[in-house]
Amino acid sequence: MSEIQIDWAGLAPMIIVFGAAFVGLLVEASVPKERRLPPQVGLAVLALAAAFIAVVANSGKSETALSLGDTAIGSVALDGPGLFLQGTIVLLALVAILLLAEQRTTAGGDFVSEAAVVADSPADIAQRREPGATEVFPLALFAVGGMMMFVVSGDLLTMFVALEMLSLPLYLLCGLAKRRRLISQEASLKYFLLGAFASAFFVYGMAMLYGFSGTIDLAGINEAGIGSDEPRILLYIGVGMIAVALLFKAAAVPFHMWTPDVYTGAPTPVTALMAGCVKVAAFGGLLRVFNVGLESSAWDWHTILMVIAVATMLGGAIFAVTQRNIKRLLAYSSIANAGYLLIGVISLGDAVGQTMFYLAAYGITVIAAFAVVSLVRDGDNEATDLSRWAGLGKSSPGTAVIFTVLMLALAGIPFTSGFTAKFSLFSAGIGAGEVGLVVVGVVSSAILAFPYLRVVVLLWLNEPAPDAPTVNLPSPMAGTVVAAGVTATVLLGVAPGFLLDIVSEASTFLGT
């Protein structure tokens, strides 16, 4: 009888992250509360750094991590796109973890000390002076491990387990804000309820695709799309339900309604983690499902996905114009960017590399943007109303310059990563024959540039209010987040060749 062969080196990045998360739980149980922060931060940073090294060590692989004798088991696919997306998630998570550890902007950090306290009660108000909960670090590591598993899942069952692994910790993290507790808890509950519906859609979609193809393996489903004798209605229902679940995580219209509320209510470091890492994981899953599992049935889903992409690009951009809250503005920006990324999904293999480049460039920029948002404060609260940012260029020019660079990048202005990412993705879309989608993307980008440039005008051409918000000096951790984001934004705008070469070599999925 053949034995199962396991590529432990290929699984090492996920093993390291999950292992560190379990060790973090032991730290919570054994170390006094006032001493937990340094070991938790150190453990998370070291684990993510080690996981990235392990991902790099696996570069060049194109095989499954499990096999039974000479028969490959496709549960975990170690290929170019999966490994690149794993590395991207780990690096973005490493930056976001530093933001989670920031303590200087508000006393004790952004997280509540005890979550199981009635919001805004005397006990809740009293604990605002206490250090924040440190279990956020193992929770974040569990979520990151789930994201890493999600982008290398070769069958729908593994993908579902990974989806739940990345989602459940995020539901908790969204409700742990130290201030504005009711809004934070509302965001957590809304995300949980809608996420549960999305998970149910995934399970039912998986059942339908199994009924059509007789397998949950993505490559097997693709083969069945050509030769299965089962009713094709099973395929249509299965694809639709799976797409609903994945598009929910990607924040595509009409599955986007949770995004502005959750981005606003969650602690800003958690919002940064979601905007950067979850976006990469969601589109990593979409790319794999549609390229590996549904490529042969592209004619069946192409039109409906085009409609969703158009609605997402235009809806996100138009609603962003009306926003007066900086976090909601970035949320609707995230929705519009999901529409641009759907062009890469629809274009299939011709645009995989450019889509991955876009994910990396957007992820680091948006994390840095949320880091700056966390520094601009009215007392102990963030100054999220755009009117409060007026004249910041005169009262805090350094912060204004940094935020201006990030806004210009999100607007797609030349010599920033945003322009390079949009240009390469739209070029790939044209090459794949999706000219109409690219035209809509260009129009959407022009609309979306208005709110970004309006922020720049507010920063530099308006006079500051007498009670203008203060910009808190960050600790080295948050300062590193901002510096890394601005550096990457500029570097990928003026010299993107090295990363474009990497994604070009790592753009072929196993089994395609």
Side-chain angles (χ1 to χ4, degrees):
M1 183 175 180
S2 300
E3 294 184 357
I4 293 180
Q5 305 295 320
I6 303 175
D7 183 356
W8 292 107
L11 298 176
M14 291 180 286
I15 293 173
I16 291 170
V17 173
F18 282 128
F22 281 110
V23 173
L25 296 180
L26 296 178
V27 171
E28 288 295 311
S30 59
V31 177
K33 187 173 183 178
E34 62 276 5
R35 298 180 183 176
R36 293 174 189 166
L37 182 62
Q40 289 284 29
V41 176
L43 176 64
V45 170
L46 288 176
L48 292 171
F52 180 74
I53 294 172
V55 170
V56 173
N58 286 319
S59 61
K61 286 187 175 181
S62 184
E63 60 192 41
T64 60
L66 307 172
S67 60
L68 184 62
D70 295 330
T71 304
I73 301 175
S75 299
V76 178
L78 303 174
D79 52 20
L83 292 171
F84 178 85
L85 292 168
Q86 276 194 339
T88 302
I89 289 169
V90 168
L91 285 182
L92 294 178
L94 180 58
V95 175
I97 284 290
L98 297 178
L99 192 58
L100 262 69
E102 174 62 41
Q103 299 281 306
R104 188 178 295 175
T105 54
T106 183
D110 289 311
F111 297 95
V112 69
S113 178
E114 296 288 342
V117 175
V118 177
D120 298 331
S121 65
D124 184 38
I125 295 172
Q127 72 168 337
R128 292 176 185 175
R129 297 186 293 270
E130 300 177 10
T134 52
E135 58 260 33
V136 298
F137 297 100
L139 285 173
L141 287 178
F142 277 121
V144 171
M147 296 175 208
M148 296 172 68
M149 184 188 299
F150 194 71
V151 298
V152 295
S153 297
D155 64 54
L156 293 177
L157 183 59
T158 305
M159 186 169 282
F160 175 71
V161 173
L163 178 66
E164 295 305 293
M165 182 65 71
L166 75 89
S167 298
L168 292 175
L170 291 174
Y171 300 151
L172 295 173
L173 289 170
C174 287
L176 297 181
K178 177 174 285 188
R179 292 174 175 80
R180 306 179 72 197
R181 294 282 294 135
L182 286 174
I183 295 177
S184 178
Q185 291 178 354
E186 178 190 352
S188 177
L189 182 61
K190 183 175 292 187
Y191 193 24
F192 167 70
L193 292 176
L194 294 177
F197 277 111
S199 297
F201 272 99
F202 193 100
V203 172
Y204 278 107
M206 178 168 57
M208 291 295 172
L209 289 177
Y210 179 79
F212 173 75
S213 64
T215 181
I216 56 174
D217 183 77
L218 291 177
I221 293 171
N222 192 56
E223 293 176 5
I226 302 173
S228 176
D229 295 327
E230 297 296 329
R232 209 153 182 88
I233 187 66
L234 295 176
L235 173 66
Y236 301 152
I237 296 174
V239 171
M241 288 186 165
I242 291 289
V244 167
L246 296 178
L247 292 171
F248 171 84
K249 281 299 176 188
V253 174
F255 316 107
H256 69 289
M257 296 306 295
W258 62 273
T259 311
D261 293 336
V262 173
Y263 274 36
T264 304
T268 299
V270 176
T271 306
L273 179 69
M274 294 171 61
C277 298
V278 175
K279 187 74 73 179
V280 174
F283 276 96
L286 279 165
L287 286 171
R288 186 172 295 278
V289 167
F290 283 94
N291 278 274
V292 180
L294 301 176
E295 187 272 338
S296 65
S297 54
W299 181 257
D300 299 311
W301 52 258
H302 182 269
T303 301
I304 186 63
L305 209 59
M306 281 185 61
V307 173
I308 291 174
V310 170
T312 304
M313 288 186 283
L314 294 179
I318 292 171
F319 280 109
V321 172
T322 66
Q323 300 307 309
R324 300 298 302 174
N325 182 294
I326 187 65
K327 291 178 76 172
R328 292 183 73 88
L329 168 59
L330 291 173
Y332 280 106
S333 163
S334 173
I335 293 168
N337 278 277
Y340 308 145
L341 287 160
L342 282 175
I343 297 176
V345 175
I346 294 169
S347 300
L348 295 175
D350 296 316
V352 170
Q354 288 82 357
T355 306
M356 295 193 299
F357 178 88
Y358 196 110
L359 287 167
Y362 174 77
I364 189 63
T365 300
V366 77
I367 288 176
F370 278 111
V372 176
V373 170
S374 71
L375 301 179
V376 182
R377 301 223 165 218
D378 278 323
D380 288 329
N381 295 314
E382 294 167 347
T384 55
D385 191 281
L386 281 177
S387 63
R388 304 293 295 149
W389 288 61
L392 192 66
K394 299 175 182 177
S395 59
S396 183
T399 303
V401 168
I402 290 171
F403 204 65
T404 297
V405 171
L406 298 174
M407 289 295 99
L408 294 178
L410 291 173
I413 302 301
F415 304 110
T416 65
S417 60
F419 174 80
T420 307
K422 282 189 173 68
F423 182 83
S424 60
L425 182 59
F426 290 170
S427 297
I430 291 174
E434 305 296 343
V435 178
L437 282 178
V438 172
V439 170
V440 175
V442 172
V443 172
S444 170
S445 298
I447 297 172
L448 193 58
F450 174 77
Y452 295 138
L453 297 178
R454 182 180 63 189
V455 173
V456 175
V457 170
L458 273 175
L459 293 176
W460 295 103
L461 300 183
N462 287 40
E463 291 297 324
D467 59 341
T470 59
V471 178
N472 290 7
L473 291 176
S475 71
M477 286 179 288
T480 300
V481 175
V482 175
V486 173
T487 301
T489 297
V490 174
L491 184 61
L492 293 178
V494 298
F498 75 99
L499 188 57
L500 287 171
D501 290 340
I502 292 174
V503 298
S504 177
E505 296 177 1
S507 62
T508 303
F509 285 100
L510 181 65
T512 60

